[in-house]
Amino acid sequence: MKKILIIQSSGKAKGNTAQLVESFAKGATEKGHKVEVISLVKNEVKPCLGCNACRYEKPCIQKDAFNRLVPKIKEADCLVFASPLYFWSMSARIKAFIERFYCIAIKDENPPFGRHEKYPIKDCALLMTAADNNFWTFEQAVSYYQYVFINYIGFKDKGMLLAGGCGHTDGKPQIDKTNHLNEAYEFGRNIYPEQ
């Protein structure tokens, strides 16, 4: 059994991203994993101030939800980032959340690539939705995910589900008219296939 923490940044309780998360969580739970969903709408995380007060495992000076979420982040085996596509990338809520990770890093005496801290080793995955479904729709978001989460922080990638073609942004969610919910369910069931 793994502890899976899903960080959901969508503002729509029944929107495409929320439905994708629900299907993923159902599959993972049925496989025996402990799954918790954290809404960044209900748990506001402000952007990093760049003050360095939190560096090397000191708590952030900002009074928001992040310090309360740190124990959950540290306990999780896998962090799943779920976001709608906003302006061709992940939402600002996800970006603010990850920028606040500075306080969970420890000093790295032998830093690669000019980095001066190292982060806890976690698995991670990406769930995204978008109205568009062009070959380039998720290009910037995938680049950010791979560079920041995998290359820089050092998480181990467990996969991505890029759910395009989920309906026009002015209309109702239409993810149920695609196969993405079934794909998310199977992704959740098989994220740890050895289990």
Side-chain angles (χ1 to χ4, degrees):
M1 183 188 80
K2 300 286 187 180
K3 290 183 179 178
I4 299 175
L5 185 65
I6 303 175
I7 312 302
Q8 180 178 316
S9 68
S10 174
K12 298 177 181 174
K14 301 289 185 186
N16 292 319
T17 305
Q19 291 181 56
L20 199 69
V21 165
E22 186 178 339
S23 292
F24 176 92
K26 182 179 179 185
T29 302
E30 285 182 8
K31 199 69 182 270
H33 302 300
K34 182 179 179 186
V35 179
E36 183 176 359
V37 179
I38 299 293
S39 165
L40 293 181
V41 173
K42 295 177 182 175
N43 295 276
E44 183 188 16
V45 174
K46 297 173 185 171
C48 177
L49 298 173
C51 69
N52 278 344
C54 74
R55 198 159 195 192
Y56 307 138
E57 298 191 289
K58 297 182 200 81
C60 180
I61 62 170
Q62 296 191 77
K63 306 302 180 198
D64 61 11
F66 191 79
N67 285 336
R68 198 172 65 245
L69 297 176
V70 167
K72 293 179 184 293
I73 296 166
K74 288 184 174 181
E75 290 169 11
D77 297 301
C78 181
L79 301 174
V80 178
F81 298 93
S83 176
L85 187 77
Y86 287 167
F87 283 79
W88 312 111
S89 191
M90 291 182 213
S91 73
R93 289 184 186 106
I94 289 279
K95 289 177 180 174
F97 179 81
I98 200 67
E99 286 171 8
R100 296 281 295 280
F101 268 42
Y102 224 33
C103 71
I104 65 171
I106 61 173
K107 189 168 187 177
D108 191 342
E109 300 296 341
N110 189 20
F113 313 120
R115 178 174 72 190
H116 299 287
E117 57 278 332
K118 57 184 173 183
Y119 294 85
I121 297 172
K122 305 282 178 191
D123 295 328
C124 71
L126 178 65
L127 301 174
M128 289 196 72
T129 59
D132 295 323
N133 199 23
N134 299 306
F135 73 91
W136 45 263
T137 295
F138 294 101
E139 191 172 286
Q140 295 300 316
V142 167
S143 177
Y144 180 83
Y145 170 78
Q146 290 175 331
Y147 184 81
V148 173
F149 295 80
I150 311 306
N151 296 348
Y152 181 72
I153 292 177
F155 290 163
K156 299 189 182 319
D157 181 29
K158 298 299 284 183
M160 297 177 278
L161 177 51
L162 307 174
C166 291
H168 196 278
T169 52
D170 290 338
K172 293 180 180 179
Q174 295 185 28
I175 196 168
D176 59 327
K177 295 178 173 57
T178 73
N179 194 42
H180 297 316
L181 296 180
N182 184 55
E183 291 169 349
Y185 172 78
E186 292 299 329
F187 188 13
R189 279 189 61 82
N190 296 300
I191 191 165
Y192 290 101
E194 67 277 8
Q195 301 294 312

